[in-house]
Amino acid sequence: MAKQKQDKKVAINQFAIYDVDIFAAEQKIVEPAISQEMALKKANELFGSFFEGRKLSLAKYDRNNTIIIDYPNDILSTHDGVYLLRINNIKHKKLVKPAETTTNGIQDYEEITEDSNPYCYVVVDNRGNVPQMAIQKNSAFGDPNAVRKLLQENFNRQFVRDNIELELTISAKMRTSKIWEFCYAQCDKNGDAITRLSFVFPNQKKVAAGSRIQNPKGYIKQLAKLAKLTNAVKTCITMDYENADREAIEKNADDLAHIIRVCKNSSYHLHVYFRDYGLYRCDDLVRAMFPMEEKLLNAFRLNWSELEFNEGERYGLIYWCDFVNEQSKIYVDGKRVPFKTPHRNS
């Protein structure tokens, strides 16, 4: 099996965790395939039927419900209510290659555009009352939320095509976390590393009096003064790291976090960038992210039982799903994103 090229921007094995909530659709169908009451009782079964083929119907639509992008994808493997998907993006890359012509006997070159189909993995666990989904974070789609939105829309369209009076939302598992608490957990438990710290604050003359930094000291005072003298709109401090010392960062940058909390104004930002997790905003809600060894994906796809995970002959990926489900109980569903239901038959 061909191995995916290592992502240069983020570790290949980071997965964002989501809940799949299935509920009664508000818009009714004149002749539904089954009653809504029965559909709710069989919600998991009906959802699982989406994965019975080799591919999903996965597309981007315009306002007229016309397909404008048809995304390649594959249902790689299914076992015991767990499904492994591979979803490809469609990108266009410009390359410079030798042309079929020469000038004065010297090779000409031309710019051509070729399609590229980078992909990410998605694991769907349909065994519980609330199905769970894990979406790989890599540069194929960037933020896993892009894949979440794509799947949510197309799954709901599938309910419409099947004349089933159900809808679903795919909601990120999230929880509140204090900045340094999150930094320590991300680095110590998940083996991540801080790569950048960025602090942005506005010219104090350009914000309301109640949102100004009161009695600034040290380098904050000097930077605020410089911004005022030069009439800058805002000031940005950015520090890049190779081997970040978390304790030193917290000790010397905690006053920046304090400023963010006190000012409570969107003009102030303290961002921490991680090698694997990516961007984290001071005291923000954090998504449930878990690493996965690539061998679990390969074993699941090729029907290899990972016996070292347990004495039972079940696939290691299934045990990973069990582990994630247990560990993510401290998280709650993120804000549901409303789905605009396509026109149903009437």
Side-chain angles (χ1 to χ4, degrees), residues 95-103 105-112:
L95 304 175
V96 177
K97 289 191 171 184
E100 296 180 354
T101 61
T102 60
T103 300
I106 299 175
Q107 177 71 59
D108 291 332
Y109 287 84
E110 61 182 351
E111 187 178 81
I112 64 171

Side-chain angles (χ1 to χ4, degrees), residues 78-83 124-127 318:
T78 65
H79 296 288
D80 301 331
V82 176
Y83 315 105
V124 180
D125 182 358
N126 193 33
R127 296 173 299 159
I318 292 180

Side-chain angles (χ1 to χ4, degrees), residues 313-324:
E313 293 189 9
R314 295 174 66 200
Y315 298 92
L317 183 60
I318 292 180
Y319 284 106
W320 182 87
C321 290
D322 292 338
F323 170 80
V324 167

